[in-house]
Amino acid sequence: MNDDDVAEAWRPATPLSRLRELGAQAPGPARIVASRIGLPAELAEEVAVRALAGGPEWFGVLRSLAAHPATSVERLAELAAHPEESVRRVAAVHRATPKAAIKPLAQDSSAAVRRALAGREKLPRKAAALLVADASVEVRLTMARRIDARPDHLRALACDPDVRIRRVVAALGHAGDADLTDPDPGVRRTAVHRRAAPELTPWLAALAQDPDTQVRELIAQQHHNRTPAVLALLAADPEPCVRAAAAANAFTPVQQLTALAADPSMAVLVAISRNTTAPPEALARLIDTIARSFGDGAGSTAGQQQEEEVQRLVYGALEHPATPPESLRALHALDLWPYFHPGNAMDQPNWPPDLMVEFGLTYCASTVSGAAEQASFAAIDEARRTDAPGDVLAAMVRSPIYYLRRAVGNRHTPPQALAAFVRDPARADDTSHLDAVAKNPATPVEILLTWAEAGVRHYDMLKNPALPESVLAAISACPDTPYAAQARRLLEVRTLRAGTETPC
């Protein structure tokens, strides 16, 4: 073989007569001819005759022909029975190899040939049945990975001795329940991953005591577990990651959430602070834990990662809609800067009224301009010394100063002041403040219900820890809102807690 022959065999313009000569000349040019796109069937047959008559040096040509669309069915059947393993392996994959040749390939002495057959595009049922029970792990693994694998074959492979095969079957969901009790933790994790909560319900108690930490952590997560008794067990798990998953679960009982609020693990504490259904008593204990752990500056020498975790924890506690007012006062007294900002605090509903007034006046003092704003600022500053806190907050709601009107989000603002604000035509476009009203536990139910039925402010209302059940029901009944599922979940949490302990 020389370079000129090779170049000529590849060249698109080479005449058929010359290709015929090259195909009969030597294995090198013949293999290139046998690989050409658009190879005529007659020429493919001529090359096959020459290659079959040649020695081992022609096996590469036969492999090219075994993969080529131009090769005849009769020739493919012959190649499928060829003594050379690599030729049979290629013929096994060819979509035109006749069915009569497939069964012998399924019983071929070479595992490589059987594996190639197991991966072909169309596999006859009888051959598939043989390959599912093949002695080679790689053949059975290939069968398990087939996109058209039959359910009965996958069920047979669910108990395969090779763990890789069982993991594939578990991921495809055809293991029955065998994957939930599999000796391999990876199989059990896969099984839990792909199952919805109702499918796992009969297995929750057993899986909550699984020897594998990751399985228990998965079971503690909300989308897998809504059973309070099982969550109570997981909340006492020796592993922090499992307890953190239970702490983040909306359905974990109040008693366990409150106990977890004193957990030594930072991950657990952060999870409590971000659990939107955590009750006030759990938040109060969480802030006691923060005060003990960080109030004396104990975290000041911590590394950057620890500092970031403390920041997440404090922010979560500050922003949680159920943190009790006096707990917020205690947290604020720790002076945990830079975690606290008065502008952010004005958007939270639970701050004590005296602090809310102080934050508002402090935050906007440098921005007050014009006679009306200055007069309002001075009047509110004076009133806070003599008037009831609710009256001062009501005056802030009526103020021309934008930031003082953030008092509409505070639960100590009188409901009648909130109602007057909402019904004031001048506030119709004041979206930010109206959203704050939606989050306020003091907002009259008729206002919230009107918004819920109109399909507006669902996002903000669902942050309201005291949202009436009638409002939650109205949100859950709106088919065109993405918040219906969240409302149904909150109703379910309340129902569970009402049967066992205090409402959320």
Side-chain angles (χ1 to χ4, degrees):
M1 178 179 70
N2 58 57
D3 292 342
D4 290 341
D5 289 341
V6 170
E8 199 170 4
W10 278 121
R11 191 174 298 124
T14 301
L16 185 61
S17 57
R18 178 56 180 156
L19 290 175
R20 184 171 284 108
E21 293 174 2
L22 292 168
Q25 179 176 311
R31 182 179 61 80
I32 297 171
V33 171
S35 302
R36 285 176 62 101
I37 297 173
L39 180 70
E42 305 82 32
L43 181 53
E45 179 62 21
E46 291 177 20
V47 175
V49 171
R50 174 67 184 89
L52 286 166
E57 67 274 13
W58 285 84
F59 288 168
V61 179
L62 294 176
R63 287 194 295 272
S64 296
L65 289 169
H68 205 288
T71 304
S72 68
V73 171
E74 294 75 19
R75 231 16 122 182
L76 285 169
E78 187 175 358
L79 295 173
H82 196 274
E84 169 58 24
E85 175 196 76
S86 63
V87 175
R88 300 196 307 277
R89 188 170 69 242
V90 178
V93 179
H94 200 295
R95 63 173 60 188
T97 298
K99 283 187 177 181
I102 296 295
K103 185 175 181 180
L105 289 170
Q107 299 171 316
D108 197 279
S109 60
S110 168
V113 172
R114 302 194 307 274
R115 183 182 181 186
L117 182 67
R120 68 178 275 125
E121 183 178 350
K122 293 182 179 180
L123 186 62
R125 182 175 299 185
K126 291 182 179 179
L130 291 171
L131 295 173
V132 164
D134 197 275
S136 167
V137 170
E138 297 303 323
V139 173
R140 300 196 306 275
L141 181 59
T142 303
M143 289 298 296
R145 288 172 172 166
R146 286 187 63 88
I147 193 170
D148 60 348
R150 292 172 54 85
D152 55 328
H153 291 167
L154 290 171
R155 284 192 292 271
L157 292 170
C159 298
D160 196 277
D162 190 88
V163 67
R164 295 174 299 167
I165 295 174
R166 301 200 306 275
R167 287 181 181 180
V168 171
V169 176
L172 294 172
H174 287 280
D177 291 326
D179 49 1
L180 290 169
T181 57
D182 194 278
D184 176 65
V187 173
R188 299 197 302 277
R189 290 175 211 155
T190 301
V192 173
H193 259 302
R194 70 166 308 280
R195 279 173 168 79
E199 298 176 273
L200 284 172
T201 298
W203 300 88
L204 287 178
L207 291 169
Q209 302 174 72
D210 194 278
D212 183 69
T213 299
Q214 290 186 44
V215 169
R216 301 197 306 276
E217 183 180 7
L218 285 169
I219 290 299
Q221 292 173 0
Q222 180 174 298
H223 61 286
H224 286 131
N225 186 357
R226 297 187 173 190
T227 305
V230 176
L231 286 165
L233 177 65
L234 293 162
D237 196 274
E239 293 296 329
C241 63
V242 179
R243 299 197 305 275
N249 194 313
F251 294 88
T252 298
V254 168
Q255 180 180 350
Q256 279 67 41
L257 288 175
T258 304
L260 288 169
D263 198 275
S265 167
M266 178 66 76
V268 175
L269 300 179
V270 171
I272 290 283
S273 75
R274 293 175 176 270
N275 184 335
T276 57
T277 68
E281 52 264 47
L283 274 298
R285 191 172 190 189
L286 177 67
I287 289 178
D288 288 343
T289 303
I290 294 172
R292 289 195 308 272
S293 302
F294 310 109
D296 58 358
S300 60
T301 58
Q304 182 178 354
Q305 182 176 356
Q306 175 76 0
E307 177 70 15
E308 291 175 354
E309 290 178 341
V310 173
Q311 180 175 330
R312 290 175 61 207
L313 173 59
V314 175
Y315 274 145
L318 284 169
E319 296 174 0
H320 198 287
T323 303
E326 291 310 309
S327 294
L328 282 174
R329 188 188 298 280
L331 188 58
H332 179 247
L334 295 177
D335 198 22
L336 288 171
W337 300 91
Y339 309 133
F340 173 78
H341 190 282
N344 293 337
M346 293 179 69
D347 289 327
Q348 308 309 320
N350 295 329
W351 283 97
D354 58 319
L355 288 180
M356 182 66 179
V357 175
E358 178 186 331
F359 297 155
L361 294 174
T362 300
Y363 189 61
C364 70
S366 61
T367 63
V368 172
S369 62
E373 289 192 357
Q374 290 173 358
S376 175
F377 185 94
I380 292 170
D381 191 25
E382 178 65 25
R384 67 172 170 154
R385 296 173 173 82
T386 58
D387 295 356
D391 293 338
V392 179
L393 291 173
M396 290 171 65
V397 169
R398 296 189 298 269
S399 173
I401 303 172
Y402 178 87
Y403 287 107
L404 293 186
R405 294 200 301 274
R406 300 305 293 176
V408 294
N410 189 274
R411 67 162 65 228
H412 300 95
T413 300
Q416 59 270 27
L418 299 174
F421 184 91
V422 171
R423 292 168 182 146
D424 185 350
R427 306 302 179 197
D429 296 326
D430 200 346
T431 302
S432 177
H433 288 100
L434 291 174
D435 290 345
V437 173
K439 294 184 287 186
N440 191 337
T443 299
V445 63
E446 58 269 19
I447 292 174
L448 298 172
L449 195 55
T450 297
W451 282 337
E453 292 173 346
V456 297
R457 295 198 164 77
H458 287 179
Y459 172 77
D460 294 285
M461 281 191 289
L462 289 171
K463 295 180 181 179
N464 187 333
L467 198 64
E469 290 192 7
S470 59
V471 179
L472 283 171
I475 295 174
S476 67
C478 291
D480 297 329
T481 173
Y483 306 111
Q486 185 179 347
R488 285 192 291 270
R489 185 193 70 184
L490 290 174
L491 284 170
E492 185 179 352
V493 171
R494 291 189 183 189
T495 300
L496 285 171
R497 289 184 178 175
T500 57
E501 46 193 315
T502 58
C504 72

